[in-house]
Amino acid sequence: MNSFPWLTVLGLVPLIGSVVVALLPKSMPLLAKQLAFAISLVVLGLVVVMALQFDGQSEFVFQFQESYDWIPAFGVTYSLGVDGIALVLIALSAVLVPITILAGWNDVEQPQSDSVGSVKGYFALILLLETMMIGVFAATDVFLFYVFFEAMLIPVYFMIGRYGGAQRSYAAMKFLIYSLVGGLFMLAAMIGLYVVTGTFNFTQILLGAGIDANTQKILFLGFFLAFAIKAPMWPFHTWLPDAAAASKPGTAVLLIGVLDKVGTFGMIRYCLPIFPAASDFYAPVIIALAVIGVFYGAFVALGQNDLKRLFAYSSMSHFGFIILGIFVFTTIGISGATVYMIAHGLSTAALFLTAGYLMQRRNGSSLLSDYSGVNKPAPVLAGFFLFAALSSLALPGLVSFVGEFMVLLGTFQRYMWVGGIATLGIVITAAYVLRVYQKSMTGAVGSGLEHIKDLTGREISALVPIAALTIFLGLYPAPVLNVINPAVNTVMVMVGATDPAPTVGLISTTSQGAQQ
Amino acid sequence: MNAVATVVHAVDVTPWEMPTLDYRLLAPVLIVLGAGVVSVLFEAFLPRGVRRPVQLTLVFVTLIAALVAVINLNGVRETAGQGALAIDGPGLILQGAVVVIAILGALLMAERGLDPNGDAFAARASSLPGSEDERQFTARGYFQTEIWAFFLFAVGGMMLFPIANDLLMMFVALEVMSLPLYLLAGMARRRRLLSQEAALKYFVLGAFASAFFLYGAALLYGFSGSISFGEIAASLGSKTGETALILIAIGLVVAGVLFKIGAAPFHQWVPDVYQGAPTPVTGFMAAAVKIAAFGALLRLLYVALGGMRWDWTPMLWVISILTMFVGAILALTQSDIKRMIAYSSIAQAGFILLGVVAVSAKGLEGAIFYLIAYAFTTIGVFAIISMVRDENGEATHLSKWAGLGRQSPVIATLFTIFMLALTGIPLTSGFIGKFAVFSAAYASGDKWLVIAAVVASLIAAFFYMRVVVLMFFTEPNEETAIVAIPSIFTTIALAAAATVTVLLGVVPQPLLDLIANAGVFIR
Amino acid sequence: MNPSNYVILSALLFGIGALGVLVRRNAIVVFMSVELMLNAANLAFVAFARMNGNLDGQVVAFFVMVVAAAEVVVGLAIIVQIFRSRRSASIDEPNLLKY
Amino acid sequence: MQEVMPATGVFSLLWLLIALPLAGAAILLFSGRKTNKWGPYLGVFTVFVDAIIAIWMLIAMMGNSAEQRTFSQNEFSWMFAGNLKVDMAFQLDQLSMVFVLLITVVGTLIHIYSLGYMSHDPDKRKFFGYLNLFVAAMLLLVLANNYLLLYVGWEGVGLASFLLISFWQIKPTAAAAGKKAFIINRVGDVGLSLAIMVMFVTFGSVGFDEVFGSTSQASEGTLTAIGLLLLLAAAGKSAQFPLQAWLLDAMEGPTPVSALIHAATMVTAGVYLITRSNAIFDAAAWAATAVVVVGVITMFMGAIIGSAKDDIKKSLAGSTMSQIGYMVLAAGLGPVGYVFAIFHLLTHGVFKAGLFLGAGSVMHGMNDNVNMRRYGALRTAMMVTYATFIIGTLSIMGIPPFSGFWSKDSIIHAAFESNTLVGILTIIAAAITGFYMTRMAAMTFFGKARWEDGVHPHESPKVMTIPLIILAIGSTFMGIALLFWGNIETWLEPVTGFEEKHIAIPEWALITITLILVLAGAAYGWIQYARREVPLVAPRGNWLTRAARQDLYGDAVNNTLVVQPSFWLSRFLVWFDGSWIDGFVNGSAAFFGGLSARLRPYQSGFIRSYALSMVGGAVLVVLALVLVRLS
């Protein structure tokens, strides 16, 4: 393995960038933006180079590992490393950050913006957040993970609270306190884990003697609560609609697109392998909650008039699918959940950014009832909106379908009825997604909308990469699947689960698939 | 006469040895107390004009010398003064922490750049508030430099408190620490009625608590026949009977010390005194007294009463939970920032008690780390509070903090860092401290206490973050206070506090090592 | 006389002192009650010294007296100051700091 | 079992069949206004090239022996994890071949026709983009070699259908119709999804070869489940009962769309799915019976609706439903019917496309009015349209020698082969077909002119009429060609299987009876609508007519049973979310705030009260110690 500290560098670049951007004089907002954008591109480039060196077939679970003692007194190490799942999520963050910056170019300085922060501050926070996101996915030490997990709240707290809309203080506070509820209980559980295992190093925890089942059941709850709130899973979700509604679109993209994935990522990375017995024990409850979430989110979304809240509830529904995929303990399910995370990141980004473009054109109103017939004056905007909607409803051929179908298939494989019921969710998803499209984009042009401008080049160029990735990975998800499957197999081994075999015959070998 | 004779007779005169004093071991304390005496003399004989520079020089030289003396004792582990003092690792670390915090506190107290009329202290504490005299004194630019003598004595007492190894020394240290603070609390330049009220409350209640402590000490002495912690521990282990007496004794002694750390239900003086006292004094007091008193409490419980841990841990459980929740919940609805921070300090005391309850080396280490982290943060908090002002002096009402982030982003950011540290967000010292005490408590089997602490932290997070909301998420209005530009004194203190707060969050290992190497209390 | 009677007496004095703090309104009287408690402790120390047959308790009593004297200085200063500002020695009078 | 050949020679272009129109769609949709000018021609061109490739493939395929007509092309691994392994792989066999031909050839004609029909539309480029997208998706649907990839095409055509139905989305009805189509189709998709899942769980694969190869090992219960789920899918896509409600609304789309998607190709995908899955239905008798029942119900529903509608396109849509009902029914009959289901599908694809395009041509001349009560006597005004429309009409009625006769008669015969009752029902439905088609032709082309003011009917331009003529020629000769020259039974037999059973009634008698009934229906229609005056406003009619005008209450049922409850549930949950879940969250915050306010007075500011609580505290401490000691 190469010895270049990829992950540290990856985390440092945006951190330094953030400091530099923050130190620029207030009078140079443009430079701040350009610099932030350039830095985010550098990070993206680094991630691409790193990803190309990732060995999908390697026997090592974690690659690009680094490990140094940090707080030996607590057995804490500064250990970084990525498996396939972490790699794709880091890549997702690295992709979404420049897009967010580009899309939010003028978000914080338009006259109607009621934010109280400076322009450079917003972009510095985004870069700071990127460091945290990379760190949280790359950490292979539970303590380090927790540090990023909690520290991540702060930039988001400021991004919501300083740059958000009318309810931003309330929303930021709610977000923070809610997250702390999970975080602090996780802290308690993490301490318990440390007391039981004597280490925080993820690999060593796994190598160590297993934890007895009763302890697992308690500690699992602490970890899971944190992840369930972050994800968010029903019924721990009510912070999300408020946070999303009060956020700038870019904030919402990073919040829901990447940050919330930390919850589901944590479930795969920590809950399952460290607490296999407890995972197994709680799985029925969690599956039930996940399925409730799928439908609950969808039905509430069906009744929303606020675009951002609607998308937040839709995300909650999607997260139901992801959590479902994780806790059915099938390779397909977990792989699917991971793909779904990527897909959801992309589709959320598309939805929030297009919605943001739309709202910007009408004084920031996010009320669905304020829009109709936008397709007429702004067909490109409407087109992207439709694309985002289709991506959200998991149209086959788009990457969200790959994720969703694999999740459902993995579920069905294990629990036929659960899978069957969850599949019905796709109908309601279509219903609410198309309802939004129909109400806002079609029909007679609403008053005040006749002369809105279509998307500008900058706005389009932020959306094109999302669309391209969504389609490309939908038709050719192999780059992602190749990387995550070994990691998922490892998780399956650690949970001690095996895939149900087909009821008749063995796995067909007649398929001429050229498995590379 | 007769009684004395009988006692003398009863004691059975043995060849009397001249008590020896190892001055090296006592140097830190002696330097500070000696400087206190010198300071009084300066006050008496130096002309007014040169007092301040001389006193300041004296104070800082003394404190640095004391620090050097403490460092010089590194590794020492013995008793001194016929067993009355225990110079051991934890004691020295706490002493060192007190001295460092005292330096920062002195810097805050020396500040004259914030108030247009001078420092934070009344021109003449003896003048009546609002009187013509007062105006005259202020107009003439009088300053009180006696504060430095008080200050040095208080520091001396604080340094003595955690190394006191018998009941008498503990009581004396307690009083030497407290008496000057009572006075300092009453000397504010502005809002003098509040300040005097704070002094009165602090004094009466403090004396009341001292009486509790003393009476408990008497009973303890009565039970064990000795005032030395080591012998008390020995007799508690060997003697039986008189259970009621010993329990009452422990209760009273512990209550006396719990008062000083501000644990519920002995906490009620805290908000009033913190609010009324001059802000630099509050900062110093909040930080240093907590270190000293927790050091004393730890030594008392671990050394003298260690054998009875099964008796007092459940009691401390209750106190700890009560303290955390009372502090956190009452802080929620405060509108004065000093008062809010006061309640916060109550809650923090509850968290530190977790380390005490653990009754383990880990618990001791955790508590000490937490204390140091907390002290630095607190000094920083009060430094900023002293800088946020309007035409009536410090603008402590929270509504005046609205939009501060827009006006003074640096100060607001620093304050946010302190708030995050107090909340316990990672990458700040507060998180490591919380982690240290929580994990110690958990390791000792106090799972539910940790859960309770977690819940209390949550409640606390709400009011800490409320300040951030006010500063950053609200537009400034005409009510908004302005941040006065401090002189080098406060700047240094603030910078040091912020640096340590972040540094201990990112690289806590050196301090943790230091504390771990210090070992446990000498017995 | 049985020294434990002195202990009981000291407990009574301590109780009276504590009660005095709780029920009296005049700051000086409250303060004197505190002193009474300290002296109750002193009495206990001395009595116990007698019972235990060592001098420690008596030594303590001396120290406590000194400390109490210092406390008087500080306490009276504060009380006098309050009295001058407020023209009242009632301990309930200073009540600006609350809630 | 057929031999699977590697896709060499012209068959190596399989991927191109899909890629060409897909690329066309991408260029047209993403390029912006720059391509407005030549974009439509590009759209036509891609499909045209596809048609040529398809014909070339047909010729090449005919050169091979019957066992060597399956060609497979594997592009890359698509979805894989655990034991799931799905390839991006295409397969062309006889069944797909006929579909590819239908799609590309009819598609080309409709594209050409659209050049004229949409010539004035500002969004013409987008229209052709969507059409190309549709063709690509439909080809993917029929060329996929596994169910999951088929699903992609399946939803892809749904998407194209959605886009095209709501093409004039400025009309709220069009937008709503598109949404409705999509959502109802999604219900069907649930069926397809679940069917795929059951297959995977059962067989460990979703590939056609693997699934069909091991049906014998699966229990009949499983196969029945798969069959019923596939039927649900087919019902959604092919507008069969109970998911039929969307098709009538879908007529909001431009007429070429109705012709291509909602008559010729997409709506027949369900028939393709059932036929493709013949191995499953053959082994699941119950599922097959359900298919027949659904087919029969829809056959009548469509016919009845078609008889009552005054909107020419909706009437045709009803007829489409009905005819697909025939196909579905035939497919449900098993090996006796598959071939004829496809046969009818092909002939229907051509003549129904012709009819729709004819209707479009009429509308084109009548200022886009669709109300047949405002038509009449148009046979002189638009000769070509009239002639071709009549040919289509005769074909769909099943009058020899037009192509519809051969295919429909085959189905009726097959129905009698398996069940006399079904046979009789098919004949009755044929009679109704006679009635409604005559009614339509009569109201449009015969009788008196009932035109609105300012309408000047005129023949459509050549670009529109030439496709009509070609389709009319197809409607005339295709049946004979496929049956006698093309030998459709033998052609499809390797894929679908084929068997013929003897029936009691002689062939000629059956044909005669059928024809008599059809003609009777036609005569009744003629008397009603050509001889008598057609009122401008529809008379109230009997209960059946009224019900049929309401689409047999399909929407009402959906609304009452599904849509309204969903909205109620939604509204309830919104309330629940805010008042209970979030109420709990905010309530707990308020609780602590309230507690704080409640506790503050105890911090009274009085020294003595503080002292009291200290005494209390000391007592508490001592008590705690005592209690611990006692316990």
Side-chain angles (χ1 to χ4, degrees), chain A residues 455-498:
Chain A
L455 294 189
T456 64
R458 169 183 65 76
E459 289 168 329
I460 292 175
S461 53
L463 290 174
V464 165
I466 301 177
L469 269 177
T470 305
I471 297 173
F472 174 77
L473 291 178
L475 296 176
Y476 187 63
V480 170
L481 288 173
N482 277 331
V483 172
I484 61 174
N485 278 341
V488 171
N489 289 334
T490 314
V491 171
M492 285 292 286
V493 170
M494 286 188 280
V495 187
T498 46

Side-chain angles (χ1 to χ4, degrees), chain B residues 55-419:
Chain B
Q55 293 280 28
L56 282 184
T57 316
L58 174 70
V59 165
F60 287 112
V61 168
T62 303
L63 290 176
I64 289 165
L67 187 59
V68 171
V70 170
I71 294 166
N72 184 38
L73 291 177
N74 181 23
V76 172
R77 189 176 166 79
E78 51 193 281
T79 55
Q82 305 290 307
L85 298 171
I87 315 294
D88 53 11
L92 285 170
I93 287 193
L94 291 166
Q95 270 195 338
V98 166
V99 175
V100 174
I101 292 299
I103 294 174
L104 299 186
L107 288 168
L108 292 189
M109 286 165 66
E111 175 66 48
R112 278 189 179 174
L114 295 171
D115 197 309
N117 293 326
D119 56 18
F121 299 92
R124 274 283 178 281
S126 55
S127 62
L128 281 182
S131 68
E132 177 59 26
D133 280 359
E134 184 191 42
R135 236 164 8 85
Q136 287 275 326
F137 290 130
T138 308
R140 272 187 249 160
Y142 279 20
F143 294 104
Q144 276 188 326
T145 40
E146 296 97 322
I147 54 166
W148 297 111
F150 296 151
F151 174 77
L152 284 170
F153 283 123
V155 172
M158 287 170 184
M159 291 170 69
L160 212 45
F161 208 17
I163 60 166
N165 201 32
D166 69 23
L167 291 168
L168 174 60
M169 194 50 77
M170 193 165 262
F171 176 71
V172 171
L174 175 72
E175 292 294 319
V176 172
M177 169 180 89
S178 305
L179 292 176
L181 287 177
Y182 299 153
L183 290 168
L184 284 172
M187 294 181 130
R189 178 180 287 274
R190 310 243 184 186
R191 302 192 186 98
R192 292 188 56 200
L193 281 180
L194 296 187
S195 180
Q196 289 174 358
E197 182 182 332
L200 180 68
K201 284 180 173 170
Y202 197 10
F203 168 72
V204 173
L205 295 171
F208 194 49
S210 296
F212 275 75
F213 176 85
L214 192 66
Y215 199 79
L219 295 184
L220 209 49
Y221 166 69
F223 174 82
S224 59
S226 170
I227 53 171
S228 151
F229 286 175
E231 288 178 37
I232 292 173
S235 63
L236 283 178
S238 58
K239 275 198 194 175
T240 49
E242 305 192 65
T243 314
L245 177 71
I246 189 66
L247 292 181
I248 292 172
I250 294 175
L252 291 177
V253 169
V254 171
V257 185
L258 286 178
F259 172 85
K260 282 292 159 194
I261 65 169
F266 311 101
H267 67 281
Q268 287 183 304
W269 62 278
V270 176
D272 292 4
V273 173
Y274 279 25
Q275 189 186 356
T279 305
V281 173
T282 310
F284 169 62
M285 191 163 76
V289 170
K290 213 144 254 172
I291 297 179
F294 261 106
L297 180 68
L298 280 163
R299 190 179 295 278
L300 179 68
L301 290 174
Y302 280 30
V303 177
L305 308 177
M308 302 195 61
R309 53 179 296 188
W310 305 118
D311 283 301
W312 52 258
T313 38
M315 177 268 288
L316 274 191
W317 260 64
V318 178
I319 296 287
S320 160
I321 293 178
L322 205 57
T323 307
M324 293 186 291
F325 279 92
V326 164
I329 290 177
L330 277 167
L332 286 177
T333 42
Q334 297 303 323
S335 55
D336 185 283
I337 182 112
K338 277 170 85 177
R339 215 172 162 74
M340 195 196 90
I341 296 297
Y343 280 109
S344 126
S345 86
I346 296 170
Q348 300 286 344
F351 295 136
I352 304 174
L353 277 175
L354 251 66
V356 180
V357 178
V359 202
S360 62
K362 285 270 170 227
L364 178 64
E365 288 166 33
I368 293 176
F369 185 93
Y370 202 129
L371 280 168
I372 294 172
Y374 165 77
F376 278 98
T377 308
T378 303
I379 286 278
V381 166
F382 283 101
I384 291 181
I385 291 178
S386 72
M387 290 160 60
V388 178
R389 311 182 76 92
D390 59 14
E391 67 279 10
N392 295 321
E394 287 161 10
T396 53
H397 200 273
L398 274 173
S399 62
K400 305 210 163 179
W401 287 57
L404 213 63
R406 174 62 72 83
Q407 300 199 337
S408 316
V410 177
I411 294 302
T413 304
L414 288 179
F415 201 77
T416 304
I417 291 175
F418 295 135
M419 289 298 115

Side-chain angles (χ1 to χ4, degrees), chain B residues 6-7 125-126 128-129 168 175 192 194 196-197 201 203 207-208 214-215 218 221-222 225 272 275 334 339 343, chain C residues 10-11 14 31 37 48-50 52 54-55 57-58 64 67 71 75 81-82 84-85 94-99:
Chain B
T6 7
V7 171
S126 55
L128 281 182
L168 174 60
E175 292 294 319
R192 292 188 56 200
L194 296 187
Q196 289 174 358
E197 182 182 332
K201 284 180 173 170
F203 168 72
F208 194 49
L214 192 66
Y215 199 79
Y221 166 69
D272 292 4
Q275 189 186 356
Q334 297 303 323
R339 215 172 162 74
Y343 280 109
Chain C
S10 83
F14 187 82
F31 182 41
M37 292 166 76
F48 283 127
R50 167 79 189 201
N52 290 328
N54 61 24
L55 278 175
Q58 304 202 14
V64 173
V67 168
E71 207 169 77
Q81 180 72 331
I82 288 273
R84 288 188 8 166
S85 319
N95 189 25
L96 295 169
L97 296 163
K98 56 190 167 189
Y99 306 135

Side-chain angles (χ1 to χ4, degrees), chain B residues 6-24:
Chain B
T6 7
V7 171
V8 170
H9 177 73
V11 165
D12 181 25
V13 183
T14 46
W16 193 75
E17 266 180 66
M18 182 67 186
T20 54
L21 274 182
D22 187 339
Y23 289 100
R24 192 178 71 97

